[in-house]
Amino acid sequence: SIMIMSLNAVGQSNSGVWYSQPADTWMETLPVGNGRMGAMIYGGIETEHFQLNEDSMWPGSPNLSNAKGTAEDLALIRKLIDEGKVHEADSLIIDKFSRQDIVRSHQTAGDLFLHFKNRGEVTNYKRSLDFEKATSYVSYSVDGNTFKETAFSSQPDNVLVIKLETSNQKGMDFDIEMSRPKDEGVETVKVATFPEKQLMLMNGEVTQMGGVVESVPTPIKNGVKFQTRLKVKSKSGIITSNGNRLTVRNAKEVLLLIATETSYYHPDYIEKAELVIENAESKGYKALVNNHIQDFKNLYNRVSLHIETDNSNKEFPTDKRLERYKAGVVDVGLQETLFNYGRYLLISSSRKGTNPANLQGIWNNHITAPWNADYHLNINLQMNYWLAPITNLAECELPLFDFGSRLIIRGKETAKQYGINRGSMSHHATDLWGPAFMRARTPYWGAWIHGAGWLAQHYWEYY
């Protein structure tokens, strides 16, 4: 454990955020994640919404060929640069080595909705995210009856866990719905319910009907296959189905177990999802909670930052504290919160055996995300990992190193095509499938190639 600074009184922690109302937009939701699988949580009252995430939700496959350039073209480009004819060299690079725009995006895993039937006056609303426990909480009262929601994404048990509780003697009534956005109007999943097994399945395959390759619209009709499996457990509740929804009635306590498995990680991903749920169900909620919190604390508690601050600021929800901060109110505790939030997000989006955190971590609600939620091998990706070594989170860097090894292996093929037998070549933008995504390539070590409207950093590595 590394103590950076300890100035404030015991128990005054900024290890979390809280709000006094549900999220209106995706940007206001609270993230949970186990490195590979996560969710963005709205904390809704009439309808609770979990936007689901998984890091291998990508269209296509490692099937993009190299650019059409040859070793001879490369020699000519070098000659033109040496002669100072940089514009001619740039034109030749674009013609021979650039793939131009490519759209293959990381995508959302879908959505889970809980449609509650209970109505009444809502009081004492609070939603929060505890960084240290990596757990989301929602609580409120309806006509005096309390409702509590607890949610976390467990790395040791590989499952998203949601627990719902109420003091209402009549219990909770709600419908469970799972879906996924259409891809350019095309359905992307099939949902089935099995009420006798308290089970819901969502099967699909990632496509990109709005795909683009070499600036040409190119529908991508195949990609990673997946199954999201949801299990409902309730001692008092009655579970039936209504079309593609599961219905829960008169339940005082409900446990939802959700697993998303993909063909990227497991050829037998459906069997894997079934096994994950069976294992989680056999352990029970208390063991799942303990496993999860201990695992997360092993990383999160290695470092602590405490800054002396005015306790009165903590009386305000995080959004109000931000408003006050902008208005000039001194609240250095928010800086402590931001420091802790960064560590929380890295641990939640990059763990041993997963893919590295992409431009959005793992939290993406789009079919076509901004900048494809891919991997820009410059400051964009580097920023995700800047804090890892200085906050004692070296294990979280392992996915990045594994990804780099895959890039080098694929880049050796590219280098050989251009007559270079002693290295590996890559571009600064890539995706799950590695350098096959490259838009342009050049062998100059650390060279910056500046062309009409674009700036790309290139590198090549020797072994």
Side-chain angles (χ1 to χ4, degrees):
S1 177
I2 301 174
M3 181 68 71
I4 295 180
M5 185 183 300
S6 183
L7 295 176
N8 64 342
V10 175
Q12 299 173 12
S13 171
N14 282 292
S15 183
V17 292
W18 72 278
Y19 303 85
S20 58
Q21 72 283 327
D24 287 328
T25 66
W26 185 83
M27 292 295 291
E28 298 173 354
T29 58
L30 295 175
V32 295
N34 66 2
R36 182 187 63 85
M37 183 177 65
M40 297 291 277
I41 305 172
Y42 281 74
I45 297 171
E46 293 187 6
T47 296
E48 171 62 301
H49 180 189
F50 295 81
Q51 185 267 311
L52 305 175
N53 300 279
E54 201 281 339
D55 72 5
S56 65
M57 299 290 291
W58 282 87
S61 59
N63 59 357
L64 287 185
S65 62
N66 288 323
K68 63 185 179 181
T70 65
E72 289 74 20
D73 296 321
L74 195 55
L76 178 55
I77 290 169
R78 286 171 166 164
K79 182 174 182 294
L80 291 171
I81 292 175
D82 289 342
E83 294 173 353
K85 301 176 181 178
V86 293
H87 295 292
E88 294 180 37
D90 181 62
S91 297
L92 191 56
I93 287 172
I94 292 174
D95 179 45
K96 297 293 186 179
F97 293 98
S98 175
R99 303 302 300 271
Q100 299 299 317
D101 288 339
I102 294 176
V103 175
R104 298 200 304 188
S105 176
H106 176 258
Q107 298 184 10
T108 174
D111 299 278
L112 168 64
F113 299 97
L114 308 179
H115 302 284
F116 289 95
K117 307 300 180 181
N118 303 344
R119 296 291 184 271
E121 181 184 2
V122 176
T123 56
N124 301 320
Y125 181 93
K126 182 179 181 180
R127 66 184 175 100
S128 60
L129 179 64
D130 185 317
F131 299 157
E132 187 176 4
K133 295 181 179 178
T135 301
S136 162
Y137 301 96
V138 178
S139 62
Y140 53 86
S141 297
V142 179
D143 289 341
N145 296 307
T146 61
F147 171 87
K148 295 181 180 179
E149 170 192 293
T150 306
F152 57 89
S153 185
S154 168
Q155 198 277 337
D157 291 304
N158 205 19
V159 67
L160 175 65
V161 179
I162 304 168
K163 186 180 182 182
L164 310 171
E165 306 168 82
T166 183
S167 67
N168 191 334
Q169 293 303 312
K170 297 180 181 179
M172 295 173 282
D173 296 341
F174 62 96
D175 295 351
I176 304 173
E177 175 189 5
M178 281 203 298
S179 62
R180 189 169 183 268
K182 293 182 178 180
D183 182 2
E184 301 286 323
V186 178
E187 292 286 355
T188 60
V189 292
K190 292 183 179 180
V191 177
T193 58
F194 304 90
E196 69 282 359
K197 297 181 179 180
Q198 300 86 47
L199 188 66
M200 176 180 285
L201 303 178
M202 181 166 69
N203 292 292
E205 182 174 5
V206 183
T207 58
Q208 193 98 58
M209 295 304 173
V212 174
V213 177
E214 298 190 21
S215 302
V216 176
T218 307
I220 302 170
K221 299 181 180 181
N222 61 80
V224 171
K225 298 178 181 179
F226 63 94
Q227 180 182 90
T228 297
R229 178 176 288 252
L230 181 148
K231 177 74 174 182
V232 186
K233 291 181 64 64
S234 177
K235 292 181 179 179
S236 61
I238 301 170
I239 301 169
T240 58
S241 65
N242 180 10
N244 284 339
R245 294 186 180 187
L246 285 177
T247 64
V248 180
R249 299 291 182 266
N250 309 122
K252 291 200 66 179
E253 186 174 298
V254 178
L255 181 63
L256 304 178
L257 303 173
I258 301 102
T260 297
E261 297 293 340
T262 75
S263 60
Y264 176 82
Y265 285 105
H266 305 283
D268 54 349
Y269 64 96
I270 293 177
E271 294 179 18
K272 176 65 175 178
E274 183 177 5
L275 182 62
V276 166
I277 293 297
E278 288 179 355
N279 288 341
E281 186 178 5
S282 68
K283 291 183 178 181
Y285 179 73
K286 183 176 288 188
L288 291 172
V289 170
N290 291 339
N291 290 347
H292 164 67
I293 292 177
Q294 181 175 345
D295 167 78
F296 200 89
K297 281 186 173 182
N298 283 340
L299 294 170
Y300 185 86
N301 284 354
R302 291 176 179 177
V303 166
S304 61
L305 170 65
H306 299 303
I307 305 174
E308 187 175 10
T309 183
D310 182 354
N311 261 349
S312 62
N313 288 314
K314 297 181 182 179
E315 299 175 4
F316 297 92
T318 303
D319 54 336
K320 301 303 180 185
R321 290 178 70 176
L322 286 168
E323 291 177 5
R324 287 161 52 85
Y325 195 96
K326 292 177 182 178
V329 175
V330 176
D331 186 357
V332 294
L334 278 177
Q335 298 166 24
E336 181 183 323
T337 300
L338 186 61
F339 173 82
N340 290 327
Y341 203 6
R343 296 188 300 121
Y344 169 84
L345 291 173
L346 178 60
I347 298 169
S348 300
S349 62
S350 184
R351 299 293 295 273
K352 182 179 179 180
T354 73
N355 287 301
N358 66 40
L359 294 186
Q360 295 187 198
I362 54 173
W363 301 284
N364 168 30
N365 63 330
H366 298 281
I367 295 294
T368 304
W371 290 277
N372 299 324
D374 60 21
Y375 299 98
H376 283 46
L377 308 180
N378 53 13
I379 191 173
N380 293 275
L381 181 58
Q382 295 162 15
M383 284 190 297
N384 288 348
Y385 291 91
W386 277 347
L387 75 165
I390 61 173
T391 60
N392 204 6
L393 293 175
E395 295 96 322
C396 293
E397 295 180 287
L398 293 175
L400 181 63
F401 300 154
D402 292 342
F403 187 68
S405 296
R406 298 201 299 272
L407 292 178
I408 290 171
I409 292 171
R410 176 62 178 85
K412 288 178 67 176
E413 300 175 15
T414 304
K416 287 180 180 179
Q417 178 180 331
Y418 306 142
I420 301 169
N421 297 314
R422 290 185 53 245
S424 177
M425 301 167 61
S426 183
H427 184 266
H428 87 295
T430 187
D431 64 14
L432 179 73
W433 309 115
F437 174 46
M438 287 178 248
R439 288 184 287 232
R441 302 179 178 91
T442 180
Y444 285 97
W445 175 269
W448 287 86
I449 307 298
H450 184 259
W454 65 284
L455 182 65
Q457 183 184 16
H458 306 265
Y459 65 87
W460 88 288
E461 301 175 355
Y462 283 101
Y463 299 62

